[in-house]
mmCIF file of all heavy atoms in Angstrom:
data_model
loop_
_atom_site.group_PDB
_atom_site.id
_atom_site.type_symbol
_atom_site.label_atom_id
_atom_site.label_comp_id
_atom_site.label_asym_id
_atom_site.label_seq_id
_atom_site.Cartn_x
_atom_site.Cartn_y
_atom_site.Cartn_z
ATOM 1 N N PRO A 124 51.565 -73.400 218.657
ATOM 2 C CA PRO A 124 50.639 -72.555 217.988
ATOM 3 C C PRO A 124 50.739 -71.104 218.434
ATOM 4 O O PRO A 124 50.864 -70.852 219.741
ATOM 5 C CB PRO A 124 49.232 -73.211 218.350
ATOM 6 C CG PRO A 124 49.584 -73.990 219.582
ATOM 7 C CD PRO A 124 50.965 -74.399 219.582
ATOM 8 N N LEU A 125 50.577 -70.247 217.576
ATOM 9 C CA LEU A 125 50.628 -68.797 217.914
ATOM 10 C C LEU A 125 49.165 -68.325 217.860
ATOM 11 O O LEU A 125 48.313 -68.870 217.330
ATOM 12 C CB LEU A 125 51.423 -68.061 216.948
ATOM 13 C CG LEU A 125 52.891 -68.375 216.792
ATOM 14 C CD1 LEU A 125 53.579 -67.662 215.694
ATOM 15 C CD2 LEU A 125 53.645 -68.000 218.124
ATOM 16 N N THR A 126 48.885 -67.063 218.475
ATOM 17 C CA THR A 126 47.596 -66.621 218.564
ATOM 18 C C THR A 126 47.342 -65.943 217.142
ATOM 19 O O THR A 126 48.343 -65.605 216.439
ATOM 20 C CB THR A 126 47.487 -65.476 219.474
ATOM 21 O OG1 THR A 126 48.428 -64.442 219.259
ATOM 22 C CG2 THR A 126 47.706 -66.054 220.997
ATOM 23 N N SER A 127 46.139 -65.856 216.678
ATOM 24 C CA SER A 127 45.876 -65.270 215.426
ATOM 25 C C SER A 127 45.766 -63.876 215.380
ATOM 26 O O SER A 127 45.486 -63.245 214.447
ATOM 27 C CB SER A 127 44.656 -65.969 214.880
ATOM 28 O OG SER A 127 43.490 -65.756 215.669
ATOM 29 N N THR A 128 45.922 -63.246 216.563
ATOM 30 C CA THR A 128 45.851 -61.737 216.628
ATOM 31 C C THR A 128 47.109 -61.137 215.968
ATOM 32 O O THR A 128 48.095 -61.586 216.235
ATOM 33 C CB THR A 128 45.545 -61.299 218.030
ATOM 34 O OG1 THR A 128 46.794 -61.734 218.801
ATOM 35 C CG2 THR A 128 44.390 -61.725 218.714
ATOM 36 N N PRO A 129 46.908 -60.160 215.130
ATOM 37 C CA PRO A 129 48.142 -59.580 214.415
ATOM 38 C C PRO A 129 48.947 -58.884 215.340
ATOM 39 O O PRO A 129 48.595 -58.224 216.352
ATOM 40 C CB PRO A 129 47.556 -58.630 213.364
ATOM 41 C CG PRO A 129 46.095 -58.395 213.888
ATOM 42 C CD PRO A 129 45.673 -59.505 214.637
ATOM 43 N N SER A 130 50.318 -59.043 215.158
ATOM 44 C CA SER A 130 51.324 -58.362 215.999
ATOM 45 C C SER A 130 51.712 -57.060 215.388
ATOM 46 O O SER A 130 51.694 -56.823 214.133
ATOM 47 C CB SER A 130 52.581 -59.279 216.102
ATOM 48 O OG SER A 130 53.627 -58.538 216.577
ATOM 49 N N GLN A 131 52.101 -55.974 216.124
ATOM 50 C CA GLN A 131 52.433 -54.811 215.628
ATOM 51 C C GLN A 131 53.744 -54.766 214.993
ATOM 52 O O GLN A 131 53.949 -54.073 213.946
ATOM 53 C CB GLN A 131 52.481 -53.685 216.726
ATOM 54 C CG GLN A 131 51.106 -53.458 217.363
ATOM 55 C CD GLN A 131 50.140 -52.824 216.420
ATOM 56 O OE1 GLN A 131 50.600 -52.029 215.692
ATOM 57 N NE2 GLN A 131 48.839 -52.960 216.563
ATOM 58 N N THR A 132 54.639 -55.629 215.453
ATOM 59 C CA THR A 132 56.020 -55.600 214.930
ATOM 60 C C THR A 132 56.202 -56.539 213.707
ATOM 61 O O THR A 132 56.835 -56.288 212.716
ATOM 62 C CB THR A 132 57.032 -55.840 215.988
ATOM 63 O OG1 THR A 132 56.668 -57.180 216.629
ATOM 64 C CG2 THR A 132 57.063 -54.827 217.059
ATOM 65 N N HIS A 133 55.631 -57.668 213.719
ATOM 66 C CA HIS A 133 55.881 -58.804 212.809
ATOM 67 C C HIS A 133 54.586 -59.416 212.469
ATOM 68 O O HIS A 133 54.293 -60.570 212.932
ATOM 69 C CB HIS A 133 56.822 -59.827 213.193
ATOM 70 C CG HIS A 133 58.322 -59.254 213.399
ATOM 71 N ND1 HIS A 133 59.069 -58.862 212.460
ATOM 72 C CD2 HIS A 133 58.960 -59.041 214.606
ATOM 73 C CE1 HIS A 133 60.228 -58.353 212.911
ATOM 74 N NE2 HIS A 133 60.144 -58.500 214.178
ATOM 75 N N PRO A 134 53.740 -58.761 211.590
ATOM 76 C CA PRO A 134 52.455 -59.447 211.319
ATOM 77 C C PRO A 134 52.625 -60.690 210.551
ATOM 78 O O PRO A 134 51.715 -61.566 210.597
ATOM 79 C CB PRO A 134 51.745 -58.290 210.450
ATOM 80 C CG PRO A 134 52.775 -57.430 210.023
ATOM 81 C CD PRO A 134 53.909 -57.490 211.014
ATOM 82 N N ASP A 135 53.639 -60.920 209.798
ATOM 83 C CA ASP A 135 53.840 -62.099 208.961
ATOM 84 C C ASP A 135 54.120 -63.341 209.893
ATOM 85 O O ASP A 135 53.923 -64.542 209.507
ATOM 86 C CB ASP A 135 55.010 -61.969 207.997
ATOM 87 C CG ASP A 135 54.763 -60.913 206.999
ATOM 88 O OD1 ASP A 135 53.432 -60.657 206.780
ATOM 89 O OD2 ASP A 135 55.620 -60.437 206.354
ATOM 90 N N LEU A 136 54.567 -63.074 211.149
ATOM 91 C CA LEU A 136 54.867 -64.275 212.033
ATOM 92 C C LEU A 136 53.614 -64.752 212.836
ATOM 93 O O LEU A 136 53.683 -65.804 213.501
ATOM 94 C CB LEU A 136 55.973 -63.816 213.064
ATOM 95 C CG LEU A 136 57.328 -63.611 212.429
ATOM 96 C CD1 LEU A 136 58.291 -63.195 213.522
ATOM 97 C CD2 LEU A 136 57.917 -64.842 211.735
ATOM 98 N N CYS A 137 52.532 -64.091 212.679
ATOM 99 C CA CYS A 137 51.397 -64.479 213.432
ATOM 100 C C CYS A 137 50.479 -65.352 212.566
ATOM 101 O O CYS A 137 49.875 -64.754 211.620
ATOM 102 C CB CYS A 137 50.544 -63.258 214.022
ATOM 103 S SG CYS A 137 51.507 -62.431 215.193
ATOM 104 N N TYR A 138 50.317 -66.554 212.841
ATOM 105 C CA TYR A 138 49.500 -67.468 212.098
ATOM 106 C C TYR A 138 49.175 -68.609 212.918
ATOM 107 O O TYR A 138 49.860 -68.975 213.975
ATOM 108 C CB TYR A 138 50.065 -67.893 210.775
ATOM 109 C CG TYR A 138 51.447 -68.540 210.845
ATOM 110 C CD1 TYR A 138 51.527 -69.971 211.052
ATOM 111 C CD2 TYR A 138 52.680 -67.925 210.920
ATOM 112 C CE1 TYR A 138 52.718 -70.575 211.229
ATOM 113 C CE2 TYR A 138 53.833 -68.417 211.137
ATOM 114 C CZ TYR A 138 53.843 -69.811 211.234
ATOM 115 O OH TYR A 138 55.069 -70.493 211.421
ATOM 116 N N GLU A 139 48.173 -69.393 212.570
ATOM 117 C CA GLU A 139 47.864 -70.583 213.331
ATOM 118 C C GLU A 139 48.729 -71.630 212.805
ATOM 119 O O GLU A 139 48.942 -71.881 211.605
ATOM 120 C CB GLU A 139 46.330 -71.042 213.142
ATOM 121 C CG GLU A 139 45.428 -69.958 213.824
ATOM 122 C CD GLU A 139 45.515 -70.117 215.263
ATOM 123 O OE1 GLU A 139 45.675 -71.166 215.871
ATOM 124 O OE2 GLU A 139 45.212 -69.041 215.938
ATOM 125 N N TYR A 140 49.273 -72.576 213.674
ATOM 126 C CA TYR A 140 50.205 -73.619 213.257
ATOM 127 C C TYR A 140 49.348 -74.872 213.137
ATOM 128 O O TYR A 140 48.697 -75.299 214.108
ATOM 129 C CB TYR A 140 51.326 -73.744 214.330
ATOM 130 C CG TYR A 140 52.431 -74.361 213.750
ATOM 131 C CD1 TYR A 140 53.394 -73.727 212.976
ATOM 132 C CD2 TYR A 140 52.715 -75.749 213.931
ATOM 133 C CE1 TYR A 140 54.480 -74.358 212.443
ATOM 134 C CE2 TYR A 140 53.809 -76.443 213.496
ATOM 135 C CZ TYR A 140 54.679 -75.664 212.661
ATOM 136 O OH TYR A 140 55.858 -76.266 212.158
ATOM 137 N N ASP A 141 49.465 -75.528 211.910
ATOM 138 C CA ASP A 141 48.653 -76.745 211.610
ATOM 139 C C ASP A 141 49.424 -77.972 211.974
ATOM 140 O O ASP A 141 50.256 -78.340 211.144
ATOM 141 C CB ASP A 141 48.136 -76.718 210.206
ATOM 142 C CG ASP A 141 47.187 -77.776 209.800
ATOM 143 O OD1 ASP A 141 46.929 -78.627 210.761
ATOM 144 O OD2 ASP A 141 46.840 -77.801 208.613
ATOM 145 N N PHE A 142 49.274 -78.653 213.040
ATOM 146 C CA PHE A 142 50.098 -79.768 213.476
ATOM 147 C C PHE A 142 49.813 -80.928 212.545
ATOM 148 O O PHE A 142 50.717 -81.764 212.326
ATOM 149 C CB PHE A 142 49.773 -80.166 214.865
ATOM 150 C CG PHE A 142 50.362 -79.219 215.882
ATOM 151 C CD1 PHE A 142 49.450 -78.166 216.607
ATOM 152 C CD2 PHE A 142 51.750 -79.193 216.144
ATOM 153 C CE1 PHE A 142 50.102 -77.324 217.392
ATOM 154 C CE2 PHE A 142 52.208 -78.276 217.030
ATOM 155 C CZ PHE A 142 51.377 -77.355 217.718
ATOM 156 N N GLU A 143 48.566 -81.176 211.992
ATOM 157 C CA GLU A 143 48.300 -82.227 211.131
ATOM 158 C C GLU A 143 49.158 -82.219 209.854
ATOM 159 O O GLU A 143 49.719 -83.016 209.257
ATOM 160 C CB GLU A 143 46.884 -82.393 210.713
ATOM 161 C CG GLU A 143 46.080 -82.780 211.960
ATOM 162 C CD GLU A 143 44.577 -82.750 211.744
ATOM 163 O OE1 GLU A 143 44.089 -82.686 210.674
ATOM 164 O OE2 GLU A 143 43.721 -82.867 212.790
ATOM 165 N N ALA A 144 49.175 -80.896 209.289
ATOM 166 C CA ALA A 144 49.954 -80.655 208.127
ATOM 167 C C ALA A 144 51.452 -80.806 208.319
ATOM 168 O O ALA A 144 52.199 -81.364 207.498
ATOM 169 C CB ALA A 144 49.759 -79.190 207.601
ATOM 170 N N ARG A 145 51.848 -80.501 209.526
ATOM 171 C CA ARG A 145 53.297 -80.662 209.848
ATOM 172 C C ARG A 145 53.629 -82.141 209.907
ATOM 173 O O ARG A 145 54.668 -82.579 209.337
ATOM 174 C CB ARG A 145 53.563 -79.959 211.173
ATOM 175 C CG ARG A 145 54.950 -80.151 211.617
ATOM 176 C CD ARG A 145 55.191 -79.326 212.961
ATOM 177 N NE ARG A 145 56.535 -79.469 213.395
ATOM 178 C CZ ARG A 145 57.074 -80.396 214.162
ATOM 179 N NH1 ARG A 145 56.473 -81.378 214.563
ATOM 180 N NH2 ARG A 145 58.442 -80.163 214.376
ATOM 181 N N GLU A 146 52.781 -82.917 210.487
ATOM 182 C CA GLU A 146 52.998 -84.451 210.537
ATOM 183 C C GLU A 146 52.988 -85.027 209.194
ATOM 184 O O GLU A 146 53.863 -85.944 208.866
ATOM 185 C CB GLU A 146 51.983 -85.071 211.473
ATOM 186 C CG GLU A 146 52.212 -84.740 212.955
ATOM 187 C CD GLU A 146 53.532 -85.202 213.439
ATOM 188 O OE1 GLU A 146 54.006 -86.222 213.061
ATOM 189 O OE2 GLU A 146 54.144 -84.379 214.162
ATOM 190 N N ALA A 147 52.141 -84.571 208.385
ATOM 191 C CA ALA A 147 51.959 -85.086 206.894
ATOM 192 C C ALA A 147 53.317 -84.662 206.147
ATOM 193 O O ALA A 147 53.775 -85.507 205.488
ATOM 194 C CB ALA A 147 50.860 -84.556 206.203
ATOM 195 N N ALA A 148 53.865 -83.426 206.405
ATOM 196 C CA ALA A 148 55.088 -83.086 205.763
ATOM 197 C C ALA A 148 56.269 -83.949 206.231
ATOM 198 O O ALA A 148 57.077 -84.234 205.408
ATOM 199 C CB ALA A 148 55.324 -81.618 206.003
ATOM 200 N N ILE A 149 56.278 -84.144 207.516
ATOM 201 C CA ILE A 149 57.372 -85.044 208.063
ATOM 202 C C ILE A 149 57.363 -86.433 207.468
ATOM 203 O O ILE A 149 58.336 -86.953 207.053
ATOM 204 C CB ILE A 149 57.255 -85.135 209.660
ATOM 205 C CG1 ILE A 149 57.594 -83.767 210.238
ATOM 206 C CG2 ILE A 149 58.136 -86.204 210.153
ATOM 207 C CD1 ILE A 149 57.381 -83.670 211.720
ATOM 208 N N GLN A 150 56.136 -86.993 207.310
ATOM 209 C CA GLN A 150 56.048 -88.290 206.704
ATOM 210 C C GLN A 150 56.439 -88.284 205.236
ATOM 211 O O GLN A 150 57.140 -89.249 204.708
ATOM 212 C CB GLN A 150 54.548 -88.778 206.770
ATOM 213 C CG GLN A 150 54.159 -89.138 208.178
ATOM 214 C CD GLN A 150 54.974 -90.288 208.742
ATOM 215 O OE1 GLN A 150 55.378 -91.171 208.121
ATOM 216 N NE2 GLN A 150 55.270 -90.142 210.074
ATOM 217 N N LEU A 151 56.069 -87.214 204.476
ATOM 218 C CA LEU A 151 56.464 -87.068 203.079
ATOM 219 C C LEU A 151 58.040 -86.952 203.016
ATOM 220 O O LEU A 151 58.633 -87.520 202.144
ATOM 221 C CB LEU A 151 55.877 -85.765 202.576
ATOM 222 C CG LEU A 151 55.959 -85.549 201.090
ATOM 223 C CD1 LEU A 151 55.353 -86.609 200.288
ATOM 224 C CD2 LEU A 151 55.344 -84.258 200.728
ATOM 225 N N VAL A 152 58.623 -86.177 203.932
ATOM 226 C CA VAL A 152 60.136 -86.074 203.870
ATOM 227 C C VAL A 152 60.805 -87.436 204.109
ATOM 228 O O VAL A 152 61.678 -87.746 203.440
ATOM 229 C CB VAL A 152 60.575 -85.000 204.812
ATOM 230 C CG1 VAL A 152 62.062 -85.149 205.156
ATOM 231 C CG2 VAL A 152 60.203 -83.634 204.434
ATOM 232 N N HIS A 153 60.229 -88.163 205.014
ATOM 233 C CA HIS A 153 60.801 -89.520 205.335
ATOM 234 C C HIS A 153 60.569 -90.431 204.132
ATOM 235 O O HIS A 153 61.583 -91.199 203.750
ATOM 236 C CB HIS A 153 60.094 -90.208 206.539
ATOM 237 C CG HIS A 153 60.526 -89.529 207.801
ATOM 238 N ND1 HIS A 153 61.963 -89.657 208.292
ATOM 239 C CD2 HIS A 153 59.909 -88.937 208.753
ATOM 240 C CE1 HIS A 153 62.003 -89.100 209.368
ATOM 241 N NE2 HIS A 153 60.783 -88.564 209.774
ATOM 242 N N GLN A 154 59.524 -90.368 203.471
ATOM 243 C CA GLN A 154 59.324 -91.145 202.307
ATOM 244 C C GLN A 154 60.302 -90.680 201.182
ATOM 245 O O GLN A 154 60.894 -91.491 200.334
ATOM 246 C CB GLN A 154 57.904 -91.072 201.814
ATOM 247 C CG GLN A 154 56.894 -91.704 202.602
ATOM 248 C CD GLN A 154 55.396 -91.374 202.128
ATOM 249 O OE1 GLN A 154 55.203 -90.640 201.313
ATOM 250 N NE2 GLN A 154 54.478 -92.084 202.868
ATOM 251 N N ALA A 155 60.425 -89.437 200.973
ATOM 252 C CA ALA A 155 61.330 -88.850 199.898
ATOM 253 C C ALA A 155 62.812 -89.294 200.207
ATOM 254 O O ALA A 155 63.582 -89.676 199.283
ATOM 255 C CB ALA A 155 61.216 -87.347 199.884
ATOM 256 N N LEU A 156 63.166 -89.199 201.502
ATOM 257 C CA LEU A 156 64.652 -89.743 201.859
ATOM 258 C C LEU A 156 64.795 -91.070 201.577
ATOM 259 O O LEU A 156 65.857 -91.611 201.170
ATOM 260 C CB LEU A 156 64.862 -89.469 203.322
ATOM 261 C CG LEU A 156 65.152 -87.921 203.657
ATOM 262 C CD1 LEU A 156 65.220 -87.692 205.130
ATOM 263 C CD2 LEU A 156 66.470 -87.443 202.972
ATOM 264 N N ALA A 157 63.741 -92.000 201.773
ATOM 265 C CA ALA A 157 63.756 -93.490 201.504
ATOM 266 C C ALA A 157 63.925 -93.806 199.970
ATOM 267 O O ALA A 157 64.606 -94.808 199.675
ATOM 268 C CB ALA A 157 62.651 -94.219 202.129
ATOM 269 N N GLN A 158 63.365 -92.907 199.149
ATOM 270 C CA GLN A 158 63.380 -93.265 197.657
ATOM 271 C C GLN A 158 64.350 -92.369 196.961
ATOM 272 O O GLN A 158 64.551 -92.667 195.785
ATOM 273 C CB GLN A 158 61.911 -92.990 197.131
ATOM 274 C CG GLN A 158 60.941 -93.864 197.676
ATOM 275 C CD GLN A 158 59.593 -93.775 197.122
ATOM 276 O OE1 GLN A 158 59.394 -93.007 196.110
ATOM 277 N NE2 GLN A 158 58.545 -94.317 197.666
ATOM 278 N N ALA A 159 64.966 -91.417 197.500
ATOM 279 C CA ALA A 159 65.910 -90.566 196.795
ATOM 280 C C ALA A 159 67.163 -91.215 196.497
ATOM 281 O O ALA A 159 67.678 -92.057 197.306
ATOM 282 C CB ALA A 159 65.975 -89.155 197.535
ATOM 283 N N ALA A 160 67.927 -90.741 195.566
ATOM 284 C CA ALA A 160 69.281 -91.092 195.277
ATOM 285 C C ALA A 160 70.177 -90.563 196.430
ATOM 286 O O ALA A 160 69.818 -89.619 197.085
ATOM 287 C CB ALA A 160 69.679 -90.722 193.996
ATOM 288 N N PRO A 161 71.409 -91.141 196.600
ATOM 289 C CA PRO A 161 72.270 -90.794 197.694
ATOM 290 C C PRO A 161 72.548 -89.331 197.625
ATOM 291 O O PRO A 161 72.530 -88.521 198.666
ATOM 292 C CB PRO A 161 73.528 -91.598 197.471
ATOM 293 C CG PRO A 161 73.057 -92.827 196.825
ATOM 294 C CD PRO A 161 72.060 -92.351 195.884
ATOM 295 N N MET A 162 72.920 -88.698 196.523
ATOM 296 C CA MET A 162 73.150 -87.322 196.400
ATOM 297 C C MET A 162 72.016 -86.379 196.738
ATOM 298 O O MET A 162 72.009 -85.400 197.375
ATOM 299 C CB MET A 162 73.735 -86.868 195.061
ATOM 300 C CG MET A 162 74.033 -85.410 194.951
ATOM 301 S SD MET A 162 75.356 -84.819 196.083
ATOM 302 C CE MET A 162 76.810 -85.334 195.400
ATOM 303 N N GLN A 163 70.903 -86.935 196.284
ATOM 304 C CA GLN A 163 69.568 -86.169 196.608
ATOM 305 C C GLN A 163 69.287 -86.229 198.050
ATOM 306 O O GLN A 163 68.724 -85.304 198.599
ATOM 307 C CB GLN A 163 68.445 -86.659 195.726
ATOM 308 C CG GLN A 163 68.636 -86.380 194.269
ATOM 309 C CD GLN A 163 67.594 -87.058 193.301
ATOM 310 O OE1 GLN A 163 66.933 -87.941 193.763
ATOM 311 N NE2 GLN A 163 67.709 -86.819 192.084
ATOM 312 N N CYS A 164 69.573 -87.232 198.722
ATOM 313 C CA CYS A 164 69.412 -87.374 200.104
ATOM 314 C C CYS A 164 70.251 -86.359 200.897
ATOM 315 O O CYS A 164 69.808 -85.680 201.720
ATOM 316 C CB CYS A 164 69.724 -88.794 200.795
ATOM 317 S SG CYS A 164 68.476 -89.915 200.268
#
Side-chain angles (χ1 to χ4, degrees):
L125 298 174
T126 61
S127 60
T128 57
S130 167
Q131 295 292 330
T132 56
H133 296 289
D135 293 338
L136 292 177
C137 293
Y138 57 91
E139 291 292 328
Y140 203 79
D141 188 0
F142 286 105
E143 292 175 13
R145 181 177 185 270
E146 289 300 318
I149 289 171
Q150 292 299 323
L151 187 64
V152 167
H153 285 297
Q154 290 174 356
L156 285 170
Q158 294 183 12
M162 180 57 80
Q163 291 170 355
C164 285

